[in-house]
Amino acid sequence: MNSIELCRRLKIDFPVFAFTHCRDVVVEVTNAGGVGVLGSIKLSPEELDMELSWIDERVGGKPYGVDLIVPGAMQGREEDPDADAVLGQLPDRHKEFAAGVLASRNIDASVIDDETRKESLYFSNNARLSGADRLLDVVFRHPVALVANALGVPPAQMVKRGKENGVLVAALVGTAEHAVRQARAGVDLIIAAGGEAGGHCGEIGTMVLIPEVSAALKAHPQTTLLAAGGIVTGQQMAAALCMGAAGVWCGSVWLTTTEAETPPVVKDKMLSARSSDTVRSRSRTGKFSRQLRSAWTDAWEAGGGADAAAHAIADRAGHALPQPRRQARRGRPRRGQGAQHLLRRSGRRHDERIPDRARDDAGLPGGFPRGLGAAGRVHRDRNMRGVVNDH
């Protein structure tokens, strides 16, 4: 589908898809003529049901979507381990590294223990097939128009249930080869995310990636291409359409809008950031993720002093991070999702509870996802409709 056909299929005014963890943003973008897409990785099935019901009441039947994160290959992907089993994968030296980063910023890390980390286990649980199934059961009870998977080929049941319910299935990719694999698996929308994208991203720039994926998908005309990665203006959206995309998928640009639930101190950091203030780092989940540079990312990348042992785990020799890992390939462990998030997230949750001044000094140890385009071009707090209209 081209952009006109896509808009007709979804009955929308603009081929703008807004990924967000905030239900208010979903509603505002959908009601403005785009498609809001709610990230569900942080939600239990009960919480997701509440959020989608709230959205249903406010969009009047207009289209919106839900995004999941189910890695295509991950150690324990088909298991349903208990909390102690997951936490048991965290070596003491990594816990000491996380506590050391906080201590270096004069933050008491003594309250961060395994009980605190259990509060963040939703990420690991929802990334497994059993967790995804529970979320999908909720999703398909609501009139969603789209369901997306953010890492790897969507589980077969997601594709099957999407087609049975007339719901478009989307997936994010970072290379043309991955796009072809997704198309062959039956995915309807391919979201090609360049290295400028906030959150998980590859290393190929958007300007190079979109034409490559567009050319690769010519053999799969049933699949529609969306562009992502540093797209925050109408000019950039027009460029993406010229390169072969039918629409755009944006995330970071919504974080600083008036409707977003982004904490004020974090929003201030994002609004003042430049494109050079972001970094691709494995420090969030073990996979490369673009985020604002912080005390946490600096410590992770530095690899000196007290954190040398922890940093060595992520070196180029291929040592795996302490998280549910992909099965070894060619004798080298593959990184997955899960326990690494528990280190970073528990520190960030604690960091968010301290006073603004101290938190500012702390440099936000967790590191917040932020795309290059948004960091370099968004310099004021705008409402949602203003952002959509700019596109």
Side-chain angles (χ1 to χ4, degrees):
M1 290 183 281
N2 58 31
S3 58
I4 295 176
E5 293 168 336
L6 180 60
C7 287
R8 287 175 177 168
R9 164 72 186 271
L10 291 173
K11 298 180 181 179
I12 56 178
D13 298 324
F14 317 103
V16 175
F17 295 73
F19 169 76
T20 175
H21 291 286
C22 177
R23 64 186 187 181
D24 299 84
V25 173
V26 172
V27 168
E28 288 299 318
V29 171
T30 288
N31 284 335
V35 179
V37 182
L38 183 70
S40 64
I41 190 66
K42 298 179 179 181
L43 304 174
S44 68
E46 295 76 20
E47 291 169 333
L48 179 60
D49 188 50
M50 290 176 59
E51 296 290 271
L52 298 187
S53 295
W54 189 92
I55 293 170
D56 291 339
E57 293 172 359
R58 288 161 176 80
V59 298
K62 297 184 181 69
Y64 70 91
V66 177
D67 177 275
L68 289 76
I69 297 181
V70 188
M74 183 182 81
Q75 179 181 321
R77 180 175 183 259
E78 299 182 5
E79 301 171 2
D80 199 2
D82 60 27
D84 291 333
V86 175
L87 292 172
Q89 298 181 67
L90 288 175
D92 288 340
R93 58 183 175 179
H94 282 71
K95 297 177 185 178
E96 293 166 1
F97 164 73
V101 173
L102 293 175
S104 71
R105 314 299 291 189
N106 299 315
I107 300 173
D108 180 13
S110 62
V111 298
I112 301 176
D113 53 20
D114 281 351
E115 289 304 312
T116 303
R117 294 187 177 98
K118 286 180 181 180
E119 298 175 14
S120 298
L121 277 174
Y122 57 78
F123 188 98
S124 177
N125 294 339
N126 287 346
R128 304 177 191 279
L129 289 180
S130 56
D133 279 340
R134 289 190 285 268
L135 293 180
L136 286 173
D137 287 342
V138 174
V139 169
F140 289 113
R141 290 202 298 265
H142 292 266
V144 300
L146 174 150
V147 60
N149 188 50
L151 284 175
V153 176
Q157 62 265 37
M158 182 188 294
V159 176
K160 181 176 182 292
R161 295 178 71 175
K163 295 188 181 302
E164 289 174 348
N165 289 274
V167 174
L168 293 176
V169 178
L172 279 78
V173 303
T175 69
E177 292 79 9
H178 292 164
V180 171
R181 190 181 309 159
Q182 299 277 13
R184 289 173 176 168
V187 170
D188 302 299
L189 295 177
I190 300 292
I191 303 156
E196 297 92 330
H200 293 116
C201 61
E203 46 188 355
I204 303 175
T206 304
M207 183 67 74
V208 174
L209 179 64
I210 304 307
E212 285 187 352
V213 174
S214 176
L217 290 180
K218 288 188 182 301
H220 303 275
Q222 78 284 1
T223 306
T224 301
L225 172 63
L226 301 181
I231 300 172
V232 300
T233 68
Q235 290 173 313
Q236 292 165 324
M237 178 177 176
L241 298 183
C242 288
M243 290 188 290
V248 294
W249 176 279
C250 307
S252 300
V253 69
W254 316 111
L255 292 171
T256 55
T257 57
T258 54
E259 294 88 350
E261 296 176 343
T262 311
V265 67
V266 179
K267 188 179 290 189
D268 289 343
K269 284 180 174 289
M270 291 178 171
L271 289 169
S272 63
R274 301 163 298 175
S275 56
S276 58
D277 293 327
T278 69
V279 61
R280 285 179 74 242
S281 172
R282 288 195 177 103
S283 62
R284 293 188 72 245
T285 67
K287 287 181 174 292
F288 277 113
S289 172
R290 185 169 297 285
Q291 57 201 279
L292 284 181
R293 186 181 298 277
S294 69
W296 175 269
T297 61
D298 287 346
W300 187 267
E301 299 301 328
D307 64 300
H311 185 273
I313 301 298
D315 67 18
R316 293 185 179 180
H319 301 294
L321 293 166
Q323 56 194 28
R325 295 181 293 276
R326 294 185 179 185
Q327 299 300 323
R329 182 179 297 178
R330 297 176 183 173
R332 176 174 175 170
R334 297 295 300 276
R335 297 172 176 85
Q337 291 265 103
Q340 169 68 20
H341 172 79
L342 298 177
L343 289 175
R344 190 270 315 178
R345 180 66 184 172
S346 57
R348 195 177 96 183
R349 287 170 68 92
H350 180 55
D351 184 54
E352 289 170 350
R353 291 195 288 266
I354 63 179
D356 286 357
R357 176 59 184 169
R359 188 187 304 132
D360 185 64
D361 290 341
L364 291 171
F368 281 77
R370 187 62 161 163
L372 275 177
R377 298 293 297 275
V378 177
H379 297 293
R380 65 187 188 279
D381 199 353
R382 298 182 294 174
N383 66 33
M384 194 63 55
R385 289 181 182 269
V387 176
V388 175
N389 289 335
D390 280 354
H391 281 76

